[in-house]
Amino acid sequence: MATQDTLTGTLFASRYRVTRKLGGGGMADVYLAEDQELGRRVAIKVLHERYAHDDQFVERFRREATHAAGLSHPNIVSIYDRGTTDGSYFIVMEYVEGRTLKELIRSRGPCPILVAIAYTRQILAALRYAHRNGVIHRDIKPHNVIVDPEGVVKVMDFGIARAGPSQMTEEGAIIGTAQYLSPEQARGAPVDQTSDLYSTGIVLFELLTGAVPFSGETPVEIAMKHLSEVPEAPSELRPEVPPDVDMVVLRALAKEPSERYQSAAAMDADLETVAHGGHVPVETADAATVVLAGGRMADATAATQVTRRGPPGYPPQYEPISPRRRPKWPWLLGLGVVLAFVAGGWFLYETIQRQLEEAKPVAVPYVVGLQQAQAVNLITEKELVPRVRRVSNSDVEEGFVFGQSPTEGTRVDKNTVVAINVSSGKPKVTVPSVVGQSSTDAVAELTRAGLDTQIVEVNSDRDEGTVTAQVPAAGLVVLEGTQVRINVSKGPKPVNVPNVIGLPYDQAAPELKRVGFDVARVDVDSELAKGIVVDQDPNGGSESSKGATVTLSVSRGPVTSSIPDVTNQDVTIAQAALEAAGFRTRVVLENTDDPGFDGIVISQDPIGGTQAKAGSIVTLFVGRFTGTDTTTTP
């Protein structure tokens, strides 16, 4: 098999035409390919050859295929096929055109709050389905969540998933990515669905703030923070995060599984509530307070009995104390004076406030990911001036913003220009000429140009594997990623070989040449007449390519021998000589009055020296002495 760095352009597993490499990880490489049977694009994950004999890696790879193949959900990447080829293990999965959440966070920073909630709810929908089917993912992180251009989230990589609660793959081992581990995973303890929800809470934290709650120099240092350190509320890093969103994140990050959300559905219900401007239930607020207090629910009960629960990280809201009643007449006495001052000062106040508002700086809104019209309206609403720059971008759909300056949150004077980069779609490239090249070279050149390839095999007089035509034609300017169809020769089209056995060679040869075959002649012994075709190769009725050679076996004619001359010999000796030469005999007696011819061959038919076929009858006329001249036939 070709090495993993040279799979591009090859037919993998006799079915998948590899287009290009999409990326690689610690244990496998991923390639974009086209399923030749179903005509769809797929992603093929191929385990690195160095792990092919490592039972632990192979088992993890097989487990990913096994568990993911049993899950069919709009928010889970589908598994189509799996197997081995030449000792390498592979998985064929749904190809999702998009970017991972990690790539989006790195390139764009924190998400808009409602977008972060929407992405997280789709992750929870996938987990709710997986948990209902007894599968714990155990490695939820932004790297394993991909977003397509329509905003649909797909969870992938069930590489360390297991059905039901279980220990880690190895006793006491930490499996997963340290920044997203649950405390029980850090301890190497059993995990359940709440472990996935803890990791989802960290993903939501990162979507909101652009950072993870726990970081460090080594995985062990990070794991210890998961076990002992109190997380910050997202609003401490990003003040505009609502208190109720803080509480959802903090409840998900409870150290004890029993104090977290107990199901993906429960966490999703709270996110749905806050997305519509509502408030989380009391149990979520209580759990969030306990997380910030660094203790269990029971330890914080006393501290919260005399107060009404407030948002985590905010002062508690004490129940109001009823004021003592006071006499009303002093208020009536001063009311006239107050009204006089108010009437005179109101207009002055309004003037000052208007001037202050006009001079007050405003925060630049976050518009990355919005359509151009929405971004322009949002900037204009903040009394800022939008300046649109249309720039091609391979990863962002046309009409959407992918960059802005100044950045979100920067406070500037009103009427400041905010420049936004709006995608004009994928870059345009010129289609190269690949006609006459080998299919491998053609695919490589088109890939370098940023184009996809569709290979169609056709019959042609060109050498097998040679590109005979392409669409679009060379020189045309198209969008990057456009599919170019190339026709690749699979040799001349086969034609039927005529059956010419039994025909004279002079007739058979022109017939074969007329339909495009060359003719070779071999003369053979045969009972048939000389010049008759007695056999052919290939056989009549079979298929062969034009220009191929048909070999004809042509009869030399029947085989003959010279008949011995046995006249004047004793009949017994004559018969023996003829039979030895391959002929049969017939005796005709002729009466003779000469005793010297008694038992002697007087004549023969055919005469001696004549050519005849083996097995022919030679008639012998033999004398019989009688004294008379009468001929008798026995």
Side-chain angles (χ1 to χ4, degrees):
M1 189 183 91
T3 64
Q4 292 182 357
D5 291 332
T6 57
L7 286 180
T8 298
T10 64
L11 187 64
F12 184 80
S14 302
R15 175 172 175 176
Y16 305 101
R17 180 71 64 180
V18 178
T19 303
R20 59 186 169 91
K21 185 175 180 179
L22 294 173
M27 63 182 289
D29 287 328
V30 182
Y31 296 87
L32 175 63
E34 182 169 339
D35 186 337
Q36 300 295 288
E37 292 185 11
L38 300 179
R40 64 184 175 191
R41 294 204 291 178
V42 297
I44 303 178
K45 179 183 286 189
V46 184
L47 182 66
H48 289 165
E49 291 182 359
R50 61 179 177 273
Y51 297 131
H53 303 292
D54 187 319
D55 293 340
Q56 180 179 359
F57 276 94
V58 171
E59 174 59 26
R60 175 177 174 180
F61 204 68
R62 286 174 173 166
R63 194 185 313 136
E64 174 179 0
T66 300
H67 292 300
L71 301 176
S72 177
H73 188 272
N75 297 116
I76 296 177
V77 173
S78 299
I79 299 296
Y80 297 143
D81 191 11
R82 52 188 169 166
T84 61
T85 178
D86 293 340
S88 291
Y89 295 86
F90 68 90
I91 300 172
V92 179
M93 65 188 79
E94 174 186 7
Y95 171 62
V96 182
E97 188 171 353
R99 304 175 71 185
T100 66
L101 285 184
K102 194 65 178 180
E103 292 171 333
L104 291 175
I105 293 170
R106 284 173 177 168
S107 63
R108 302 181 182 180
C111 286
I113 293 170
L114 290 179
V115 174
I117 292 173
Y119 286 167
T120 306
R121 292 191 64 197
Q122 292 186 67
I123 296 172
L124 291 169
L127 291 177
R128 183 166 66 243
Y129 178 80
H131 293 168
R132 190 163 60 240
N133 285 274
V135 176
I136 310 300
H137 190 287
R138 310 196 333 165
D139 195 20
I140 292 295
K141 57 186 178 182
H143 317 64
N144 287 339
V145 180
I146 193 166
V147 184
D148 72 11
E150 304 299 323
V152 176
V153 165
K154 298 268 189 176
V155 178
M156 58 184 177
D157 195 356
F158 280 73
I160 58 175
R162 281 210 175 183
S166 76
Q167 296 285 348
M168 303 308 247
T169 301
E170 296 180 5
E171 188 65 30
I174 297 177
I175 292 184
T177 304
Q179 288 87 346
Y180 307 92
L181 285 177
S182 65
E184 56 271 21
Q185 285 176 291
R187 291 192 298 267
V191 301
D192 60 16
Q193 67 271 16
T194 63
S195 305
D196 282 348
L197 300 183
Y198 182 95
S199 301
T200 304
I202 293 181
V203 172
L204 177 54
F205 187 104
E206 189 173 1
L207 287 170
L208 292 168
T209 67
V212 291
F214 305 117
S215 59
E217 296 296 326
T218 66
V220 173
E221 180 184 351
I222 298 170
M224 293 303 297
K225 290 184 178 180
H226 281 289
L227 291 169
S228 59
E229 195 167 288
V230 176
E232 294 181 297
S235 60
E236 294 184 33
L237 301 179
R238 185 179 176 185
E240 64 265 34
V241 174
D244 288 275
V245 175
D246 275 346
M247 289 187 274
V248 173
V249 174
L250 292 169
R251 182 179 180 184
L253 297 185
K255 305 296 184 189
E256 294 298 325
S258 61
E259 294 174 3
R260 301 176 200 146
Y261 289 101
Q262 295 301 296
S263 69
M267 185 173 176
D268 180 63
D270 275 6
L271 286 176
E272 182 180 19
T273 298
V274 299
H276 290 88
H279 298 291
V280 297
V282 173
E283 58 266 26
T284 297
D286 288 343
T289 302
V290 170
V291 172
L292 287 177
R296 293 176 174 270
M297 187 78 73
D299 299 332
T301 302
T304 61
Q305 286 178 341
V306 298
T307 63
R308 179 163 53 89
R309 186 72 58 194
Y314 295 81
Q317 302 172 12
Y318 290 90
E319 295 289 352
I321 300 174
S322 299
R324 296 175 56 190
R325 290 186 170 272
R326 298 176 181 271
K328 296 182 179 179
W329 64 267
W331 292 98
L332 298 174
L333 182 63
L335 182 60
V337 177
V338 172
L339 290 175
F341 277 105
V342 169
W346 176 256
F347 294 104
L348 177 62
Y349 172 79
E350 280 292 308
T351 302
I352 294 173
Q353 284 297 109
R354 190 180 307 109
Q355 292 174 348
L356 290 175
E357 283 296 323
E358 290 175 354
K360 183 178 179 181
V362 296
V364 176
Y366 183 73
V367 296
V368 173
L370 299 181
Q371 289 184 324
Q372 177 181 330
Q374 294 174 312
V376 168
N377 289 339
L378 191 56
I379 293 170
T380 303
E381 287 173 2
K382 295 290 185 179
E383 299 185 57
L384 300 171
V385 179
R387 177 178 296 164
V388 177
R389 294 181 296 192
R390 297 189 66 83
V391 183
S392 62
N393 191 304
S394 300
D395 302 317
V396 179
E397 186 178 351
E398 183 178 1
F400 282 80
V401 178
F402 65 88
Q404 68 177 82
S405 179
T407 57
E408 169 206 8
T410 304
R411 302 194 72 82
V412 297
D413 293 335
K414 292 179 180 179
N415 295 317
T416 297
V417 172
V418 177
I420 57 175
N421 293 338
V422 177
S423 173
S424 60
K426 294 183 178 180
K428 293 183 178 181
V429 297
T430 301
V431 179
S433 174
V434 295
V435 174
Q437 297 183 18
S438 69
S439 60
T440 302
D441 291 343
V443 169
E445 183 169 351
L446 291 170
T447 301
R448 285 194 298 270
L451 301 167
D452 288 342
T453 308
Q454 178 190 14
I455 296 177
V456 179
E457 293 186 335
V458 297
N459 292 114
S460 168
D461 293 334
R462 306 289 292 272
D463 291 340
E464 188 173 350
T466 301
V467 177
T468 62
Q470 66 179 79
V471 177
L476 289 180
V477 177
V478 298
L479 291 178
E480 182 182 79
T482 296
Q483 188 177 79
V484 177
R485 167 180 167 149
I486 59 174
N487 292 349
V488 177
S489 173
K490 59 179 179 180
K493 182 178 180 181
V495 294
N496 286 326
V497 179
N499 185 358
V500 294
I501 294 176
L503 296 178
Y505 175 80
D506 292 342
Q507 180 180 344
E511 175 66 16
L512 291 169
K513 291 178 180 179
R514 183 181 63 81
V515 293
F517 294 105
D518 291 335
V519 178
R521 172 172 175 162
V522 177
D523 290 330
V524 298
D525 295 329
S526 170
E527 297 295 326
L528 297 180
K530 183 178 180 180
I532 300 298
V533 176
V534 299
D535 196 9
Q536 68 181 83
D537 182 28
N539 294 328
S542 64
E543 287 189 340
S544 187
S545 58
K546 282 188 175 182
T549 298
V550 178
T551 301
L552 300 182
S553 299
V554 182
S555 174
R556 295 192 185 98
V559 178
T560 61
S561 299
S562 178
I563 300 174
D565 185 358
V566 295
T567 55
N568 297 318
Q569 295 182 18
D570 182 82
V571 65
T572 302
I573 296 173
Q575 285 179 309
L578 288 168
E579 289 172 0
F583 298 99
R584 294 180 296 158
T585 61
R586 184 168 67 95
V587 176
V588 177
L589 297 177
E590 290 185 352
N591 293 330
T592 178
D593 57 359
D594 185 347
F597 285 103
D598 188 37
I600 301 300
V601 177
I602 300 173
S603 63
Q604 66 182 73
D605 184 24
I607 62 175
T610 303
Q611 293 289 323
K613 292 172 57 178
S616 300
I617 296 175
V618 178
T619 303
L620 302 178
F621 297 93
V622 180
R624 182 176 62 180
F625 178 69
T626 61
T628 64
D629 192 17
T630 302
T631 300
T632 304
T633 302

